[in-house]
Amino acid sequence: MRRAAVFLALLLCLLWTGTQGEDEGGTGKKEGEFDIQGAHDQSSSQTQMRTDILAELKELRDIAIEHRIKIQRLEQDNTVLETKMSSSEKEVEEVKRENAATQVRLTASESKNAVLETKMSSSEKEVEEVKRENAALEARMSSSEKEVEEVKRENAATQVRLTASESKNAVLETKMSSSEKEVEEVKRENAALEAKMILSEKEVQELKIDTAVSEARLNFSEKQVQELQRVNAALEARMSSSEKEVEEVKRENADLLARVTASEKKSTAFEARMSSSEKEVEELQRENADLLARVTASEKKSTALEARMSSSEKEVEELQRENADRPQVAFSAGLTDAGGVGPFTTDITLKYSKVFTNIGQAYSPTTGIFRAPVRGVYYFRFNEWEHRSAWTAVKLFHNDKMKMGIYDYHDGGGYISTSNSILLQLEEGDVVYIVLPTSFSVYDDSNNRIIFSGFLLFPQ
């Protein structure tokens, strides 16, 4: 602005000088001794020259003002771009902080999953221990077919629950792997975004350099205008040179205008790239929000799985307590290795002397009697086998009451065999035994053809 004021002051001085000369020329004509026609021609020529010079100077001034306005606009645009760049950098920092928070939450989720896996391993060991106990119980109760089936169904149910738990853990691990891959993808996208931001910063620096160059050229143009003002002081002697310099100034101004236009195009391209960068930041924020939602869902699923694991552990502990507190009663015994037993003239209690299993010592091989140690529901199974006589039979007694009898007829070839089972509700001290009726016989040997077995289903 100071240079423009100096430039206008010089123009006013030049105009005042020309006006003063015209006034002096007019006074000389009135006083008298000059050629009026020659003075008029000279004054007209000088006036025309001054008019042309003033027109050129006004045009130069307008061009300079227009360039300064454009440069001011460029500076304002650069200020806006720098503000947007600062905002974009803040958004990038915010995204980085969100990614750091997401990473912390993922680490916490992985720690929880590790704890869950440890608890799962412990639960699996406990389940394996229960399986071993059930296997021992199954081995000790091998003679009881229905109890074996019940234990198998319970083990199958346990296996199904364990398989479902393992499947859920596998799904959880798969989802966690997917989450880790998505986090890695976000990191890579953030790295690409940082690279783009660095490139944008470089372009801003280049734009600043171009602006500085434009300012330098404008300063140079102003210096040339000052030089033109000095040339105009000697305009009458160097008119031809002044016109050439004006043309040179025009060409330089045209070059400056072209450079300013190119700078505006670069600014437009930079704004477009900034818009693209902002869109990418928004997309990254949306992806981070989606990732955060997925991580939150994964944490909720982990919490649910942890709750279910706690419930499963409590059930296992309850089952272990029940198994520990429940009385264990089971027996299985074979009749004899001596071969035939009977017939007798009276009913006799069969003494199954080959004891295979006698948990709780409720069965006596000496008397052949089972005595209930606790009140509850018991399962019993017995059979008969014979190949010598026509008829065979045995009976099961509860205390002094016959509850079941089995009979079979030998038709003259091979052997006969019959079996049956029963559930009885016994009081503590009740007895159960097998009786061979009068005139009937059975046969047993080392093949253990005749078995008497039973066990406690549940106490009451």
Side-chain angles (χ1 to χ4, degrees):
M1 294 298 293
R2 185 177 298 172
R3 292 175 181 175
V6 172
F7 179 67
L8 291 174
L10 290 173
L11 288 176
L12 291 173
C13 289
L14 183 59
L15 290 172
W16 181 80
T17 302
T19 305
Q20 190 69 27
E22 290 178 356
D23 292 340
E24 290 176 357
T27 303
K29 288 188 283 181
K30 290 179 181 179
E31 292 177 354
E33 296 180 359
F34 296 99
D35 186 2
I36 295 174
Q37 183 66 35
H40 179 72
D41 294 339
Q42 185 178 1
S43 177
S44 298
S45 176
Q46 290 178 355
T47 301
Q48 183 65 34
M49 290 173 63
R50 289 189 182 95
T51 302
D52 294 338
I53 291 170
L54 287 174
E56 293 291 339
L57 289 175
K58 288 181 179 180
E59 184 179 356
L60 289 174
R61 183 192 63 185
D62 294 338
I63 292 172
I65 292 172
E66 182 180 358
H67 289 339
R68 180 166 294 278
I69 291 171
K70 288 184 178 180
I71 289 171
Q72 289 177 352
R73 289 177 180 175
L74 285 175
E75 290 176 351
Q76 292 175 356
D77 293 340
N78 289 335
T79 302
V80 173
L81 290 176
E82 288 177 358
T83 302
K84 289 184 178 180
M85 179 64 72
S86 299
S87 176
S88 179
E89 290 175 353
K90 290 179 180 179
E91 290 178 354
V92 170
E93 290 297 328
E94 183 67 23
V95 170
K96 288 182 180 179
R97 285 194 294 271
E98 290 179 358
N99 286 338
T102 302
Q103 187 67 31
V104 170
R105 295 186 69 180
L106 282 176
T107 303
S109 180
E110 290 174 354
S111 301
K112 287 184 179 179
N113 287 335
V115 172
L116 287 177
E117 289 179 358
T118 303
K119 289 184 178 180
M120 179 61 75
S121 299
S122 175
S123 178
E124 288 176 352
K125 290 180 181 179
E126 292 177 355
V127 172
E128 290 295 331
E129 183 66 25
V130 172
K131 285 183 179 180
R132 285 194 293 271
E133 292 178 359
N134 289 336
L137 184 61
E138 181 183 359
R140 290 155 68 181
M141 298 179 179
S142 58
S143 63
S144 179
E145 295 176 353
K146 288 189 177 181
E147 177 62 17
V148 168
E149 291 298 325
E150 182 66 23
V151 171
K152 285 183 179 180
R153 285 193 296 272
E154 292 177 358
N155 288 338
T158 303
Q159 186 65 31
V160 169
R161 292 177 65 188
L162 289 175
T163 303
S165 178
E166 292 173 354
S167 300
K168 290 180 179 178
N169 287 336
V171 173
L172 179 61
E173 291 176 358
T174 303
K175 290 184 177 180
M176 286 304 299
S177 300
S178 177
S179 296
E180 291 174 355
K181 291 180 181 179
E182 291 178 356
V183 169
E184 291 297 329
E185 183 66 22
V186 169
K187 288 180 179 179
R188 289 194 292 271
E189 292 178 357
N190 287 339
L193 180 60
E194 289 178 359
K196 290 182 179 180
M197 290 303 299
I198 291 171
L199 181 60
S200 297
E201 290 174 355
K202 290 181 180 179
E203 290 179 353
V204 169
Q205 292 297 329
E206 292 178 358
L207 182 60
K208 288 181 179 179
I209 293 171
D210 292 338
T211 303
V213 172
S214 298
E215 289 179 355
R217 288 184 177 274
L218 183 59
N219 292 332
F220 179 72
S221 177
E222 290 175 352
K223 290 179 181 180
Q224 287 183 341
V225 171
Q226 292 176 359
E227 181 67 24
L228 183 60
Q229 290 173 356
R230 287 192 295 271
V231 172
N232 288 333
L235 185 61
E236 293 179 357
R238 301 173 62 184
M239 189 63 189
S240 299
S241 175
S242 178
E243 290 177 351
K244 292 180 180 179
E245 289 179 357
V246 168
E247 291 296 328
E248 183 66 23
V249 170
K250 287 182 178 181
R251 285 193 296 270
E252 290 179 356
N253 285 335
D255 182 63
L256 180 61
L257 180 61
R259 288 180 178 274
V260 170
T261 303
S263 177
E264 290 176 348
K265 290 181 180 179
K266 286 184 178 179
S267 296
T268 302
F270 183 71
E271 288 179 354
R273 296 182 71 176
M274 280 299 299
S275 299
S276 176
S277 177
E278 290 172 353
K279 290 180 181 179
E280 290 179 356
V281 169
E282 291 176 357
E283 182 66 24
L284 184 59
Q285 288 177 344
R286 285 194 295 272
E287 291 178 356
N288 286 339
D290 182 65
L291 178 61
L292 181 61
R294 296 181 69 180
V295 169
T296 303
S298 177
E299 290 175 349
K300 290 181 180 179
K301 289 183 179 179
S302 298
T303 303
L305 179 61
E306 187 176 3
R308 295 185 68 180
M309 281 298 301
S310 299
S311 176
S312 177
E313 290 173 354
K314 290 180 180 178
E315 289 179 358
V316 171
E317 291 175 358
E318 183 67 23
L319 181 61
Q320 288 177 343
R321 284 195 297 270
E322 290 178 358
N323 289 333
D325 297 337
R326 187 177 66 180
Q328 296 183 354
V329 180
F331 78 96
S332 181
L335 183 60
T336 182
D337 288 339
V341 178
F344 299 102
T345 58
T346 183
D347 294 348
I348 65 166
T349 299
L350 293 177
K351 301 176 181 179
Y352 292 82
S353 59
K354 299 187 293 184
V355 178
F356 306 125
T357 301
N358 195 9
I359 299 172
Q361 304 300 317
Y363 172 73
S364 173
T366 304
T367 61
I369 295 174
F370 172 83
R371 188 177 301 276
V374 295
R375 183 176 185 271
V377 176
Y378 291 81
Y379 170 85
F380 295 96
R381 182 180 181 278
F382 63 101
N383 70 320
E384 62 181 3
W385 197 92
E386 181 62 271
H387 68 92
R388 299 172 301 161
S389 61
W391 286 95
T392 184
V394 292
K395 298 178 181 179
L396 183 141
F397 278 78
H398 173 206
N399 293 332
D400 56 352
K401 294 182 181 180
M402 194 273 290
K403 292 294 184 180
M404 180 180 291
I406 55 176
Y407 298 83
D408 204 352
Y409 174 75
H410 186 265
D411 57 1
Y415 61 87
I416 52 178
S417 177
T418 308
S419 65
N420 211 336
S421 60
I422 190 172
L423 286 174
L424 294 176
Q425 184 175 2
L426 305 181
E427 300 292 334
E428 182 179 357
D430 284 359
V431 295
V432 177
Y433 51 92
I434 304 297
V435 171
L436 179 66
T438 303
S439 302
F440 289 92
S441 64
V442 291
Y443 182 90
D444 192 15
D445 55 23
S446 60
N447 290 317
N448 300 320
R449 303 178 187 275
I450 298 179
I451 301 294
F452 178 35
S453 60
F455 55 86
L456 173 65
L457 280 178
F458 53 86
Q460 291 181 324

